[in-house]
Amino acid sequence: MKKQILCAILFSSLATMTAHAQNAVSGQVVVDYVPLSNYIRPEDSVKTGSKSDFKRIRFNLEIPLSTKVDSMGNIKRWSWKVGAAYAKMENRNYEQSLFPTEMLNAEIGLQYLTSLKKNWSLLTFASVGIYSDMVKVDGKDLLGQGGALFIKRFKPNLAFGFGPVLSNSFGVPMVLPGLYFDWKTNGKVKFNVNFPQGLSAAYQVNKFMDLRAVVNLDGMTAEREKDGKSTLGGFMLLTAGLQPQFNLGKNLKLQLTGGSTLARMYVENDRSIKSIFKDKKQADPRFSPTFYASAGFKWNMPY
């Protein structure tokens, strides 16, 4: 799983992309909690007595700058995107320090969406952010990315996109592939697949509440100094659970999630191009499955 660090960095842009225009300020605040669970040693897959937890608060906001829709339904839209996440980890009973105790991911970006011919649209974006373990914040923690995705909307509820993404995550700017996939169904039970964020099945209990079964893939990344070298370390988190969503008004929703971590691992690589293609001699450190909970507010306010 050599490219997991890269995926964690790209989540902040790719996971929140939409292929339609909304003239509204949208955002969310979410608190995540994973209690202490056992560290599984990578060299022999033995569950040790060492334990780590994961506590995080994250915030995302999208602010439209301008939106134009002509008589044919063609869209031209500029928007700002701002996001930040702070995580605090407690690491118990380790013989040596293996994992960070704090992580900060904060970025700001500009996004442009425009319609092309025959249900195609072009989404371009650029962002810059700080990805730090909070031990030493300097220029090495500053990572930028940008790209262009060509999105084909096959149906009103089905879209697929692809294109190049430019990132300096590995020390030098590199062009990497970017993907977007979004599929939804209508009716009493609604299915939604959004790559790379996750999938859900929602049942509308009444007009005030939906009950969802969700599977989400998430992550955080930090630049760290290790043996005098700049490295990228990141947590990858795959969770599944039930998520009741309460409609507190036309534009405000409360989401509560309870479930389990299907996978939680830590990946660290040198910031070099060859590290992408280099096979690791052993598996990445991981943690035993445990309980997962989150609570968040989402809003979508007319602009």
Side-chain angles (χ1 to χ4, degrees):
M1 307 184 80
K2 292 173 282 189
K3 301 180 181 62
Q4 287 172 337
I5 292 296
L6 175 63
C7 292
I9 294 170
L10 297 182
F11 277 146
S12 55
S13 291
L14 301 184
T16 58
M17 289 178 179
T18 55
H20 59 281
Q22 295 182 8
N23 197 29
V25 177
S26 60
Q28 65 174 354
V29 176
V30 182
V31 176
D32 303 296
Y33 174 65
V34 178
L36 289 165
S37 63
N38 296 88
Y39 164 60
I40 299 176
R41 199 163 50 204
E43 53 265 32
D44 51 16
S45 297
V46 170
K47 183 189 292 187
T48 70
S50 305
K51 295 183 178 181
S52 297
D53 67 358
F54 186 78
K55 302 179 289 289
R56 175 178 61 178
I57 182 169
R58 47 196 167 109
F59 165 79
N60 291 290
L61 184 67
E62 181 175 357
I63 304 173
L65 298 176
S66 67
T67 302
K68 296 181 180 179
V69 182
D70 63 22
S71 59
M72 301 295 293
N74 296 317
I75 298 167
K76 290 185 179 181
R77 181 175 188 252
W78 288 93
S79 61
W80 282 109
K81 298 180 76 71
V82 180
Y86 172 77
K88 180 76 173 179
M89 286 76 65
E90 180 182 0
N91 303 307
R92 291 185 184 176
N93 303 324
Y94 288 89
E95 295 181 358
Q96 57 180 332
S97 178
L98 298 177
F99 310 114
T101 58
E102 292 180 284
M103 297 179 76
L104 174 67
N105 291 177
E107 70 169 2
I108 184 170
L110 184 64
Q111 181 173 287
Y112 176 63
L113 175 68
T114 183
S115 297
L116 302 176
K117 295 182 178 179
K118 297 181 180 180
N119 294 321
W120 282 89
S121 58
L122 174 63
L123 181 64
T124 56
F125 62 95
S127 67
V128 63
I130 295 174
Y131 298 83
S132 174
D133 63 354
M134 304 298 288
V135 174
K136 180 182 178 182
V137 181
D138 55 23
K140 295 179 181 178
D141 298 331
L142 199 64
L143 302 179
Q145 59 182 347
L149 293 182
F150 295 90
I151 300 173
K152 171 69 173 180
R153 185 157 292 280
F154 297 93
K155 298 178 180 179
N157 64 336
L158 177 63
F160 173 77
F162 62 92
V165 175
L166 178 67
S167 174
N168 72 335
S169 305
F170 290 88
V172 295
M174 310 181 47
V175 177
L176 302 152
L179 293 176
Y180 171 89
F181 178 77
D182 185 61
W183 174 68
K184 300 181 181 71
T185 64
N186 297 315
K188 194 69 174 179
V189 178
K190 299 179 181 180
F191 294 93
N192 183 17
V193 179
N194 183 267
F195 178 85
Q197 188 174 12
L199 54 91
S200 67
Y203 174 75
Q204 185 176 357
V205 179
N206 52 51
K207 64 179 182 179
F208 301 107
M209 177 183 173
D210 295 340
L211 182 61
R212 305 181 178 203
V214 296
V215 177
N216 289 321
L217 179 63
D218 198 1
M220 286 190 72
T221 298
E223 188 275 338
R224 304 184 71 196
E225 292 287 336
K226 187 175 181 180
D227 299 328
K229 294 182 179 180
S230 176
T231 67
L232 284 179
F235 286 98
M236 300 292 293
L237 189 64
L238 179 63
T239 61
L242 293 178
Q243 183 184 82
Q245 176 176 275
F246 302 94
N247 301 315
L248 304 181
K250 184 178 179 180
N251 302 308
L252 182 63
K253 302 179 187 297
L254 169 65
Q255 290 182 339
L256 303 175
T257 308
S260 173
T261 58
L262 301 181
R264 182 163 66 109
M265 61 188 67
Y266 181 80
V267 188
E268 193 166 51
N269 286 327
D270 294 335
R271 294 186 66 183
S272 62
I273 297 177
K274 66 179 182 180
S275 67
I276 302 177
F277 307 99
K278 183 180 178 181
D279 289 324
K280 290 189 174 181
K281 297 180 180 179
Q282 62 185 28
D284 296 309
R286 56 193 174 94
F287 303 89
S288 59
T290 188
F291 176 72
Y292 166 79
S294 75
F297 286 100
K298 298 179 68 175
W299 63 88
N300 194 46
M301 304 296 184
Y303 187 72

